[in-house]
């Protein structure tokens, strides 16, 4: 039951990059980025301990595990703030500024402090809402897709999209060892591909690549049974729900990492302050710094940790034999 809830929360969190960032890449690159992220998540998730990477790191690196946890927590703060800053764009026509992202961060930090069970239950409920909303938006958009605009396009891959594609990997710091995740991973790849296809086929590849929020712009031209409807607020509402799930997973990962270092105080306030610090740092640091942090925390550390742990386990089995 918990594994299914965790998969649902992870898929809900993955809707943020799928709708907000990946359509800029074109459907070919968006699908490839989602497939790579899903492959890494599936591979590492099966090999990870049930308690997540925070339990594997000390066993793999020994005394250096505390330093590795500190590095992950530093990167987690930057990535949490970056996610909150990105979510400020989900209401493009409002004047909320940073308020949207910071309010979602505050709610996610509180939910994570209440415990993993709270995040999983609330995220599982939001998952059903997201499924219905995305089906409506993408379903009616698909009717208006022009086949001539679906030809593969060349273009640069922005750092923000690379960072966003790896964001579901954060769940490895919360829990691992889940089985039968193939359907969930395929659903995530399908969502990213469908969103990018609909954006390119409805707006044209050039416009979709230039728009900061292509799915929102696409929703302005969607008609439901021949009648133009204002679906932009629905898109923003979907990303609000998905953004809460994403920030909650990041907060849970940071909380478990902080406890592994020795932090025993309230994690809710700590997560909120970490997110605010990362938010402010992201306004000063180049965009590439966040991409490097994502590559380290969500790519290199999980792969190296699980590889070292598997080598040590093999050596131990050989000695016992």
């Amino acid at each position: 039951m918990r594994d299914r809830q965790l998969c649902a929360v992870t898929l809900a969190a993955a809707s943020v990059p799928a709708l907000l960032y990946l359509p800029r890449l074109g459907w070919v690159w968006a699908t490839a980025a989602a497939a790579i992220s899903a492959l890494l998540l599936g591979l590492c998730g099966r090999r990870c301990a049930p308690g997540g990477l925070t339990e594997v790191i000390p066993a793999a690196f020994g005394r250096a595990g505390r330093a590795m946890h500190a590095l992950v927590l530093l990167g987690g703060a930057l990535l949490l703030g970056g996610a909150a800053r990105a979510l400020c764009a989900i209401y493009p026509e409002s004047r909320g500024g940073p308020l949207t992202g910071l309010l979602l961060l505050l709610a996610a930090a509180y939910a994570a402090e209440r415990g993993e069970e709270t995040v999983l239950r609330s995220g599982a409920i939001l998952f059903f809402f997201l499924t219905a909303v995305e089906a409506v938006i993408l379903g009616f958009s698909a009717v208006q897709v022009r086949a001539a605009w679906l030809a593969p396009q060349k273009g640069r891959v922005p750092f923000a999209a690379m960072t966003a594609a790896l964001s579901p990997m954060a769940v490895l710091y919360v829990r691992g060892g889940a089985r039968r995740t193939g359907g969930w991973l395929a659903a995530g790849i399908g969502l990213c591909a469908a969103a990018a296809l609909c954006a390119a086929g409805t707006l044209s590849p050039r416009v979709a690549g230039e728009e900061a929020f292509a799915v929102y712009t696409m929703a302005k031209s969607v008609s439901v049974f021949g009648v133009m409807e204002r679906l932009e607020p629905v898109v923003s509402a979907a990303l609000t729900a998905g953004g809460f799930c994403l920030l909650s997973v990041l907060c849970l990962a940071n909380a478990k990492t902080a406890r592994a270092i020795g932090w025993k105080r309230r994690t809710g306030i700590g997560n909120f302050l970490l997110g605010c610090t990362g938010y402010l740092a992201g306004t000063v640091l180049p965009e590439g710094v966040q991409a490097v942090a994502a590559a380290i925390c969500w790519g290199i550390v999980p792969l190296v940790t699980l590889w070292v742990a598997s080598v040590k386990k093999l050596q131990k089995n050989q000695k016992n034999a």
Side-chain angles (χ1 to χ4, degrees), residues 164-182:
L166 288 172
S167 58
M169 292 286 289
V171 76
L172 293 174
Y173 292 94
V174 179
R175 182 176 289 273
R179 303 293 178 182
R180 299 179 182 178
T181 58

Side-chain angles (χ1 to χ4, degrees), residues 162-244:
M162 295 170 58
T163 304
L166 288 172
S167 58
M169 292 286 289
V171 76
L172 293 174
Y173 292 94
V174 179
R175 182 176 289 273
R179 303 293 178 182
R180 299 179 182 178
T181 58
W184 294 97
L185 296 174
I189 298 173
L191 173 61
C192 295
L197 276 168
C198 289
T202 305
L203 299 175
S204 83
R206 182 184 63 82
V207 175
E210 293 175 354
E211 285 286 337
F213 192 175
V215 174
Y216 186 91
T217 306
M218 175 191 75
K220 295 180 179 180
S221 60
V222 173
S223 61
V224 180
F225 300 116
V227 180
M228 295 295 294
E229 297 287 353
R230 296 280 297 182
L231 293 181
E232 306 96 287
V234 180
V235 175
S236 296
L239 277 173
T240 301
F244 170 80

